[in-house]
Amino acid sequence: MSGGASGHMGSGSMNWDDLRYFLAVAAEGSLSAAARTLRVNPATVSRHIDALEARFEVRLFDRRQDGYGLTEAGEKLAGRARAIETEMFGLARAFDAEDRGLTGTVAVTSTESLIVPFLIRNLPLLQDRHPGIRLQVVNEYRFLNLSRREADVAIRMARPEQGDLVIRRIGTLGFGLYASSAYLETHGMPAAPGDLAGHAVIDWLDGFPENAPVSWLRQQMGGRPPAFATNPASARLAAARAGIGIALVPCMVGDEARDVVRVLPGTEIPGVDLWLLVHRDLSKLARIRAVLDFIHERAQAEADRIAGRTAPRS
């Protein structure tokens, strides 16, 4: 098998799945990362890559210790495969655009902080209003690609700069500080945000996207290392409940939790804007539009709760 671009095309039919797996490895740089993206095991990805290389009788990747890098032949195929992928997903959206009314499945992607306290909380009302619509909710921190139909609708904490998307701001997610009563009895209640530098603080992991509340918390910590770090809001809150330290979590999550106390409740903590996104090709479908309008309506109705302006549960 040749390592350059000079291999010749073997006989046999083309398998679109092979190209899909090839593009995932090209984008992620390793079998394991591609497997996570595709929700399969690495052996499955490897089989598709081997099949494609056998099909073209050329090596498409250099297997390096730090990952998979495209060969010259791989670069050429990647350009063609991306064009094919764009056409395939465009064709899928075109068929999907044959509106079937207020029936069918709508996949919504969001983060854990919004799924339980907002989406699932309002799901019974959506089902009563539109019984023919089946909602699927995907919990992802990474930005699922709406153009590739990884989801139909997204609620994100950052406005995307690219993509043929219809974008609507639906509110602000507010954050608060929370700790267990046992922790506060032992270590005392902070009197001001700057006092967090003298407390055990529960932070996000270093790889988490830096946004306004993350930056604010780390500024108050004054360079002191966190007592514990994890990304999911539920895990940070569980750590606070266990007495590990003080956690910054969305107020919708913290205010509904038992066994924690709101710390410095009058403090102005930066929030994050929430954005409702849909691919333009799907934005006019009745079932998609119904879900979009419902999410926007409920976000406006619960604006104070989402922003953390309501009183915590006693």
Side-chain angles (χ1 to χ4, degrees), residues 1 3 5 30 38 58 65 86 88 111 130 139 187 201 204 209 216 218 226 228 252 270-271 296 302:
M1 184 178 293
S30 72
L38 295 166
V58 69
Q65 192 170 5
T86 299
M88 292 286 286
T111 63
H130 303 298
N139 175 18
H187 301 279
V201 174
W204 286 263
W216 179 88
R218 291 173 178 172
F228 178 69
M252 277 200 305
H296 181 263
E302 298 187 19

Side-chain angles (χ1 to χ4, degrees), residues 125-186:
L125 181 57
L126 176 65
Q127 290 176 331
D128 287 344
R129 189 176 300 180
H130 303 298
I133 294 177
R134 297 181 303 278
L135 200 67
Q136 294 179 344
V137 180
V138 184
N139 175 18
E140 284 283 358
Y141 283 103
R142 71 185 182 92
F143 280 5
L144 295 187
N145 192 320
L146 299 185
S147 297
R148 297 178 61 182
R149 297 303 310 280
E150 291 182 326
D152 299 312
V153 174
I155 306 175
R156 292 180 178 165
M157 298 185 191
R159 182 188 175 108
E161 300 298 327
Q162 297 178 338
D164 190 14
L165 304 173
V166 176
I167 303 172
R168 186 191 306 187
R169 183 182 173 277
I170 60 171
T172 300
L173 182 65
F175 286 75
L177 295 162
Y178 298 87
S180 69
S181 297
Y183 173 87
L184 295 174
E185 287 171 6
T186 301

Side-chain angles (χ1 to χ4, degrees), residues 31-265:
L31 294 180
S32 57
R36 285 193 296 272
T37 298
L38 295 166
R39 293 183 177 2
V40 297
N41 61 61
T44 299
V45 180
S46 180
R47 283 197 301 272
H48 282 277
I49 299 303
D50 291 344
L52 196 59
E53 290 186 327
R55 168 73 175 84
F56 287 111
E57 299 182 9
V58 69
R59 192 173 74 247
L60 299 171
F61 292 100
D62 286 323
R63 278 74 165 170
R64 303 188 301 250
Q65 192 170 5
D66 61 346
Y68 274 45
L70 287 169
T71 62
E72 183 181 348
E75 292 282 4
K76 288 184 177 181
L77 179 61
R80 299 284 184 91
R82 290 185 189 108
I84 294 171
E85 180 185 52
T86 299
E87 290 296 325
M88 292 286 286
F89 286 115
L91 184 62
R93 290 194 303 271
F95 278 111
D96 235 348
E98 294 183 8
D99 205 337
R100 294 183 291 276
L102 295 175
T103 61
T105 299
V106 178
V108 180
T109 177
S110 187
T111 63
E112 180 203 48
S113 299
L114 293 169
I115 286 176
V116 174
F118 177 66
L119 286 174
I120 293 179
R121 171 189 171 97
N122 284 292
L123 186 57
L125 181 57
L126 176 65
Q127 290 176 331
D128 287 344
R129 189 176 300 180
H130 303 298
I133 294 177
R134 297 181 303 278
L135 200 67
Q136 294 179 344
V137 180
V138 184
N139 175 18
E140 284 283 358
Y141 283 103
R142 71 185 182 92
F143 280 5
L144 295 187
N145 192 320
L146 299 185
S147 297
R148 297 178 61 182
R149 297 303 310 280
E150 291 182 326
D152 299 312
V153 174
I155 306 175
R156 292 180 178 165
M157 298 185 191
R159 182 188 175 108
E161 300 298 327
Q162 297 178 338
D164 190 14
L165 304 173
V166 176
I167 303 172
R168 186 191 306 187
R169 183 182 173 277
I170 60 171
T172 300
L173 182 65
F175 286 75
L177 295 162
Y178 298 87
S180 69
S181 297
Y183 173 87
L184 295 174
E185 287 171 6
T186 301
H187 301 279
M189 175 74 77
D195 293 346
L196 292 175
H199 278 267
V201 174
I202 299 159
D203 194 5
W204 286 263
L205 296 171
D206 287 340
F208 194 83
E210 189 95 359
N211 57 25
V214 174
S215 299
W216 179 88
L217 179 65
R218 291 173 178 172
Q219 183 178 8
Q220 310 312 316
M221 290 166 65
R224 177 173 176 165
F228 178 69
T230 186
N231 289 337
S234 61
R236 294 198 310 280
L237 191 64
R241 188 182 294 116
I244 293 173
I246 300 173
L248 183 68
V249 299
C251 297
M252 277 200 305
V253 177
D255 287 350
E256 295 294 319
R258 300 186 184 277
D259 304 324
V260 291
V261 176
R262 183 98 169 248
V263 177
L264 300 172

